[in-house]
Amino acid sequence: MSMSRTDGKDGARERLVVIGGDAAGMSAASQARRLRGPDELEIVAFERGHFTSYSACGIPYWVGGDVPERDRLIARTPEEHRERAIGLRMRTEVTEIDVAGARVRSRDLASGAEEWTSYDKLVIATGARPIRPDLPGADAPGVHGVQTLDDGQALLDTLAATEGRRAVVVGAGYIGVEMAEALINRGYEVTVVNRGEEPMSTLDPDMGRLVHTAMEAMGITMVDDAEVTKIRTGEDGRVRAIATEDAEYPADVVVLGIGVRPETTLAKAAGLPLGEHGGLLTDLAMRVRGHGNIWAGGDCVEVLDLVSGRERHIALGTHANKHGQVIGSNVGGGYATFPGVVGTAVSKVCDLEIARTGLREKDAHRAGLQFEAVTIESTSRAGYYPNATLMTVKMLAERRTGRLLGVQIVGREGAAKRVDIAAVALTAGMTVEQMTALDLGYAPPFSPVWDPVLVAARKAVAAVRKNAG
Amino acid sequence: MSMSRTDGKDGARERLVVIGGDAAGMSAASQARRLRGPDELEIVAFERGHFTSYSACGIPYWVGGDVPERDRLIARTPEEHRERAIGLRMRTEVTEIDVAGARVRSRDLASGAEEWTSYDKLVIATGARPIRPDLPGADAPGVHGVQTLDDGQALLDTLAATEGRRAVVVGAGYIGVEMAEALINRGYEVTVVNRGEEPMSTLDPDMGRLVHTAMEAMGITMVDDAEVTKIRTGEDGRVRAIATEDAEYPADVVVLGIGVRPETTLAKAAGLPLGEHGGLLTDLAMRVRGHGNIWAGGDCVEVLDLVSGRERHIALGTHANKHGQVIGSNVGGGYATFPGVVGTAVSKVCDLEIARTGLREKDAHRAGLQFEAVTIESTSRAGYYPNATLMTVKMLAERRTGRLLGVQIVGREGAAKRVDIAAVALTAGMTVEQMTALDLGYAPPFSPVWDPVLVAARKAVAAVRKNAG
């Protein structure tokens, strides 16, 4: 280790240091640059990996073959950032934040050289790290995460080199079900092993059951309520099977999709405030609480859930981009805030669309809310129009007030994005009664005369009225 | 004419009389029946046509062949209504409303017999009538409206009997462009003759231009700025051509789609209050203003535009159904209101999707509003995802306040229903700045990381800020 100078800034300019070169960090850097030129603001960004500003959400579609090549997932390369006068240091890991000294220590991963870089303003965008099972074999050849582009490439290399066609996906959240689709598209026999009662634990179990049934109908073997107890490897060290307490599932390749945690090792060591989910806590301007010159955004922070009033951790590119915009505006001398989320998420498995926003039943209980829950079935288009498909909409409304609390949708084409109606209504604090009057787009190719979300709202109104006491 | 007795009611029950057996009228009757049984409430409904509760909006898809048979468009037949104890009188036209006497006069269209029926409560749901050009030949064989199921059947009969393949559609609003699609699907050479500067005058002309270009690319001949001056017929009396001041367009069949007006002849004769567009004026409970026991809904009423604060006339099945629900609830002893509309409408021509909500530029001017208008282009899915298609989103925001005023979208698959985001935001009175933080569903198959509506909102925010003075 060669410990060099602290790289001081020249007096005239402010220096912004950004830790993390993906969505939140580089959006912040780009937006700050838009507002303040290189004469006023120096920007130094550290990225330990090989890529910047890429869509991690797109990895399943690249692995599955829908996206033909990796570079399509890269929104902006290091060179493009540098052309905008952003001083990017690739393959350089920040190893320490010295808050009192207003500097960060970094290590060049190739040379091992370390140095300190001082900052006037700091943006922490260290992202999330995938949860890996604490089991022997979790790092065996043939076992893959899909968090980064490098992960995706490694998985594709394994698929190309593997003759067997049996794949096991561990986890049945967004990444798990999307990877199941990817592997089906690649011609694998897919088994999804899932710890939860049903797949998609971001839904209530009754809605998750619909996903279970639909995925089985696609030929996917669904194993619920199953904890992985062993990752069995062969004599060559490669993965051979996934074992649970009850059974063993042969595997030529294993994909881990059991979620992510905020990557806040640096922040924790620096004494920055973390929430109960391990993410950084910020104010509404995305400034780390109690720290006037440190901002944080993306997968490493907790966000305010506007429905429950509690902090949550949600790793999602769309939030990371918004955070970056807000941070960049504030760092660049403008003003913007990120008020919070309502917890909207959409996904698909082959032609099955899955969406949710707001609170599930257990979230509502936890938040101390009493509610009515209703479920309806309707169609994506007028019933008589070709390719009208069924969708199930579940809606939660607060008891007495009738305020919308959450919506979950499982269906086929046209189901998922309908959740946006509820997402906006939640943000606006609408009641289900107000929703029944919403003037939504209607024409037979696009909706029944009562949109499925309105059908659910009508049923929720009836439930709230019935139990008004 | 045999003028018979006034059909008095028996003392115990209230009698509800409904004029018009389509969406609004029969929804009202059905909802009232749900709340009050036949022992409490007698329901008599008059319908002059052959059908009840059908989807007029579906007619273009039936004519175009997407819907194989007429009966699919019928949500509930007269028999089904009668089974629910609704006394339907089909082919019976109400010819007079005697408000002072609380009775209506009706004529059986088959026998010519007339009678008076007294009411305790009256629902007027007389719908709209198509505008027909005041020109000789407008009723010639081969010239068709598409307002009713009978109209649709007559057009289909003409198409079956006609060898020529040249069709002219007069009008380029929703009905006009949908009928252009229908006729293209039937293998016709289609010319659309349109009085407006661009097709779809419910959009601003710059957005209408996109529709013009796209329809031309489908092989449709688009003639804008053209008033029909003559409908030329042959020696057999059948239509031969449509003439404008500048040109003549040969036509084996002509479809009129130049809009509708509220059918309020009866209401006007009865002295009921009409608005500037000729529709009945109601209160928020859909009661005709100044009349405690008369309700009106559907295409014969004017509705409050929540954005401009003015009454409008909008003939749309989704409103008619909502009106019927509200009226039926109130008539049945419950309580419901229809707060108004924001002017949402969606349509398609082949694979082109068209949507709008809120105010156009000229509506905003008329309402005394100053605004910023921005237009962006984005994609329906992540740019790297297969079948991502371009869409154009135009957004109007009020000057200084930044309040959303309207959105127009023209694109391909996935474009139209995005307008619902704006429809809910308009209803909630959101600013474009608030919209930029909306937590909308994001995953690569469904949206770019910034949904196109949010991209437009961000640009609108910048425009509002720039001209904040």
Side-chain angles (χ1 to χ4, degrees), chain B residues 285-355:
Chain B
M286 300 306 297
R287 218 162 37 177
V288 172
R289 290 186 197 169
H291 293 266
N293 65 338
I294 307 179
W295 284 259
D299 294 358
C300 68
V301 304
E302 298 190 6
V303 290
L304 177 63
D305 182 318
L306 297 167
V307 191
S308 71
R310 302 275 291 270
E311 261 80 26
R312 297 177 55 180
H313 178 245
I314 303 176
L316 203 54
T318 188
H319 299 327
N321 274 278
K322 289 191 182 105
H323 294 168
Q325 278 287 322
V326 167
I327 293 170
S329 295
N330 292 324
V331 165
Y335 171 63
T337 61
F338 182 81
V341 303
V342 292
T344 311
V346 296
S347 187
K348 80 178 193 71
V349 196
C350 303
D351 67 340
L352 185 77
E353 298 190 3
I354 305 161

Side-chain angles (χ1 to χ4, degrees), chain A residues 55 58 66 318-319 321-322 325 335 341-344 348 384-386 417 420 423 438-439 441 449 451 458 465, chain B residues 55 58 66 318-319 321-322 325 335 341-344 348 384-386 417 420 423 438-439 441 449 451 458 465:
Chain A
S55 170
D66 284 324
T318 188
H319 299 328
N321 274 279
K322 289 191 182 106
Q325 277 288 323
Y335 171 65
V341 303
V342 292
T344 311
K348 80 178 194 69
Y384 54 78
Y385 194 87
K417 277 293 265 180
D420 286 347
L438 283 173
D439 183 4
V449 73
D451 191 278
R458 287 173 63 187
R465 283 185 177 174
Chain B
S55 171
D66 284 325
T318 188
H319 299 327
N321 274 278
K322 289 191 182 105
Q325 278 287 322
Y335 171 63
V341 303
V342 292
T344 311
K348 80 178 193 71
Y384 55 78
Y385 194 87
K417 276 294 264 181
D420 286 348
L438 282 173
D439 184 3
V449 72
D451 190 278
R458 286 173 64 187
R465 283 185 177 174

